[in-house]
Structure formats: C-alpha cells, structure tokens
Amino acid sequence: MDLKGKDFLTLLDLSTEEIEGLIDLAAELKEKKKKGIPHRLCEGKNIALIFEKTSTRTRCAFEVAASDLGMGSTYLGPTGTQIGIKETIADTARVLAGMYDAIEYRGYGQEIVEELAKYSKVPVYNGLTNEYHPTQILADMLTIREIFGKLKGIHLLYMGDARYNMGRSLMVGCAKLGLHFTACSPKGYFPPEDLTETCRKIAAETGAEITFESDPYKAVKNADVIYTDIWVSMGEPEEVWAERIELMRPYQVNKELMEAAGDQCVFLHCLPSYHDLKTEIGRKVGKKYGMTALEVTDDVFESERSYVFQEAENRMHTIKAVIAATLS
Ligand code: CP
Ligand code: NVA
C-alpha cells in the first residue's frame, strides 16, 4: 500500500488492497496503543480540522490520532473562521496547505471537499459530507472483522434512508471488500442509480452482491450485521421529521427484528443515536410522534449484540491509519 500524499475523499478512489491495507494498519496501531508502544510516525507535522457541521467522534478521533502520531492540530469549527463567508474554499485550501501537512473537512456537498483537495497541495480527508463518510466505513469494517474474523461473505443490512452518506458509503465499502450489501428502505430511498451501477461492477469482481428490499422481515434473512443511522441527517431541515417518521417507522431496528435475523446477527450504528428520549431532539421528536425511541430501540442498542462503542473507538484507530499512511 502506497498512499503517501494521497487524498481520502471516498472509498471509490481506493483499491480493495489499499482499503484492506488501511484496516490492517489500524489494527496494528490499535494494538500498539493498547500496549502503550509509542507510534509517533508523523512527529512535527500539523493538521487543520475543518468542521462546518458538528461532531463528537470524528473530531475527537482526529485530535487524539494526531496527538498519538506526534502531530499538532487546529480545530476550525462551524463558526469563527472566514471559510465560505469571506473566503472561498479554493483560497482556504491554498492558505491552509501553506501551514499544515494535511487538512480534514466535514461539511455539506462532496463537491466542496473535492474543490478543497483540488487546490490543496497536502492530503485532504473527508470527515463527512452529505454524500460520503469514508472514515466511518473503515471503523465499521475493522469492527466487523474483529467480531467475525473476516469481511468477505458477511451480509450487511442497512436499514433506513439509504440515499444519504451512510447508505451510500456502506454500499461502496461492502462492494470493495466483498461483503454482501442489502439496503432495506422505502421505495425511493435507495442509493442513487449511477452509484449503484458502479458498485455492482466493483462487487462483480469482489464476489459481493448488492440488493434492495423494502420489507424489513424479508431483508433480515441471512443478515450478519444490521446497521442503521439517524433518520434525519445534519443539514436537513427540521420540517422533514414529520414525513420521515411516517416513512421510516417500519424500519426501526427493534428486538423483534433482531430475533428474526437470528443469533449470529450483530448491531452497528455510526452514532449519534436516538435510542431513547434522553437527548433534546430525541425527546422532542419522540414525544411529538409518540415513540420511545427512533431508529433503534434502547433494548437493542444496550444489548450484547450491539458493538456501537467498540465501533466508535475504532474511529480513532482507523483515522490514525489514514493519517499515518498518507503522511509517513
Ligand atoms: N459517527 C460520527 O461521525 O460521529 P460524529 O458526528 O460525532 O463525528
Ligand atoms: N447521516 C448522519 C451521519 C452522522 C455520522 C448525518 O449526516 O448526520
């Protein structure tokens, strides 16, 4: 794997071997971290972290990974910078590339992170756009490999709105790494056709199958992993909750669905999650629509079959691998 100097914008840009190489490196760095073995592979380098949307995991993962690698980092949050207001992305890219060795970007359209990469002479990493969330997929795949000891042939079922970043990125990741991918969504909420076609071509080479289904109880048959995400993503207007709740209600991951899937099946979620009414939005939406949980029930989220916190930790190890592979 030679990723030195490369951007990390979507998994479509990487070969199967390169993605596997990143997961292997993440596992190696995770072991080093657990054993307290220093791995300051990027000593003296610096990274700029642009977050035009909020974050807990991705921001912390980048900051801790950078620190462990011996790097400095600067957080540029949704407010307080000139980006987009007084300065274009193209100008920002050239300014930051003059001071930093890498730039992470979380924001809206994929075209923005691509523009940033076009004008930046240092690697640019996609920390989530509306369309893709590639660092999340690396963490998901590391977690699945830790649970099942393999990736190829695993059946991953994505429940919910598969048009957005998580549905799309999981489909790409599964196609590249040879996992069978099913999106279980209401009609019209599957990933876009052109991307599906691209992924089916990749899948034909890796032995993966990509299927779409709208009946949750049909879809769970053979599922090894049930994956879900919040029903309304960052950047979407609040008004969409009403129609989304009605549409997605049958796709909630609950105990009955997990039981129908069988004992082998585990639960994953990129987080954050509305699995109870203990958050501001969870409480507001849950009360309004008479639900005690949204995309996943609390009993599934808290069950032994849920690996969501291992998955969250793996964000850090996998992001560290991306930085190390592209900078050292
Ligand atoms: N999963 C994820 O990207 O979480 P954050 O929004 O907290 O970064
Ligand atoms: N689909 C979610 C993912 C959060 C990690 C969002 O974009 O808000």
Side-chain angles (χ1 to χ4, degrees):
M1 171 180 70
D2 182 13
L3 292 175
K4 195 158 181 187
K6 295 234 174 101
D7 298 317
F8 187 76
L9 305 182
T10 128
L11 291 181
L12 286 168
D13 303 334
L14 277 78
S15 68
T16 297
E17 293 69 31
E18 286 168 338
I19 302 168
E20 285 170 348
L22 285 172
I23 298 168
D24 288 343
L25 178 60
E28 203 183 294
L29 292 169
K30 182 172 181 176
E31 204 182 322
K32 285 201 168 122
K33 172 91 176 175
K34 301 276 172 201
K35 289 185 176 156
I37 302 168
H39 42 281
R40 297 174 72 84
L41 301 168
C42 304
E43 190 81 58
K45 295 191 192 279
N46 288 286
I47 183 168
L49 307 172
I50 305 173
F51 281 85
E52 299 206 278
K53 289 177 177 168
T54 51
S55 168
T56 296
R57 275 145 295 272
T58 312
R59 175 186 177 179
C60 296
F62 269 100
E63 292 201 12
V64 173
S67 167
D68 287 354
L69 290 169
M71 300 171 72
S73 61
T74 306
Y75 172 71
L76 301 152
T79 59
T81 74
Q82 318 284 25
I83 303 169
I85 302 152
K86 282 172 41 181
E87 196 155 39
T88 63
I89 285 292
D91 292 356
T92 305
R94 287 170 288 179
V95 169
L96 295 179
M99 300 184 200
Y100 293 89
D101 302 281
I103 304 168
E104 177 275 354
Y105 174 85
R106 163 173 289 198
Y108 296 86
Q110 182 71 11
E111 71 283 358
I112 304 172
V113 76
E114 276 165 14
E115 171 98 344
L116 193 66
K118 183 175 158 195
Y119 286 94
S120 162
K121 62 178 195 281
V122 302
V124 171
Y125 313 131
N126 179 358
L128 178 146
T129 58
N130 295 343
E131 292 84 359
Y132 294 108
H133 196 5
T135 62
Q136 177 71 49
I137 306 308
L138 291 182
D140 301 338
M141 293 300 173
L142 175 61
T143 311
I144 295 169
R145 207 176 75 172
E146 287 171 343
I147 299 166
F148 294 99
K150 62 171 190 174
L151 290 173
K152 234 177 155 47
I154 293 291
H155 286 76
L156 187 144
L157 169 62
Y158 179 81
M159 299 284 299
D161 183 353
R163 300 169 308 171
Y164 224 71
N165 43 26
M166 286 314 305
R168 290 178 189 224
S169 302
L170 282 165
M171 180 170 74
V172 175
C174 287
K176 287 270 181 184
L177 295 168
L179 292 84
H180 305 303
F181 174 81
T182 302
C184 184
S185 317
K187 290 201 170 62
Y189 286 75
F190 296 120
E193 270 175 33
D194 51 346
L195 182 66
T196 305
E197 205 177 300
T198 304
C199 287
R200 286 209 166 111
K201 281 188 192 138
I202 300 166
E205 282 169 30
T206 61
E209 267 182 43
I210 293 171
T211 47
F212 296 160
E213 173 60 62
S214 291
D215 178 339
Y217 283 88
K218 275 191 193 156
V220 289
K221 282 197 196 112
N222 299 323
D224 297 307
V225 179
I226 295 183
Y227 198 117
T228 193
D229 181 17
I230 49 172
W231 291 338
V232 175
S233 286
M234 288 184 277
E236 290 197 274
E238 216 185 307
E239 303 84 80
V240 302
W241 269 112
E243 64 150 54
R244 209 58 66 70
I245 289 269
E246 285 323 310
L247 266 170
M248 296 297 164
R249 217 187 264 266
Y251 299 89
Q252 182 189 63
V253 181
N254 52 35
K255 221 169 152 196
E256 294 71 44
L257 198 72
M258 289 303 290
E259 270 163 20
D263 291 342
Q264 81 296 338
C265 186
V266 302
F267 174 72
L268 292 181
H269 190 312
C270 53
L271 307 183
S273 159
Y274 302 123
H275 58 93
D276 57 27
L277 304 189
K278 293 178 186 160
T279 63
E280 203 182 304
I281 296 177
R283 195 163 37 245
K284 200 166 133 194
V285 176
K287 278 195 179 150
K288 190 164 176 193
Y289 298 100
M291 297 177 81
T292 53
L294 302 182
E295 75 278 1
V296 55
T297 54
D298 199 47
D299 49 4
V300 171
F301 187 90
E302 295 292 353
S303 72
E304 283 182 355
R305 296 165 78 177
S306 167
Y307 287 79
V308 295
F309 295 111
Q310 183 174 326
E311 182 186 10
E313 180 193 319
N314 283 339
R315 296 297 311 285
M316 198 280 285
H317 305 299
T318 44
I319 280 173
K320 192 186 282 176
V322 172
I323 302 174
T326 50
L327 293 191
S328 68

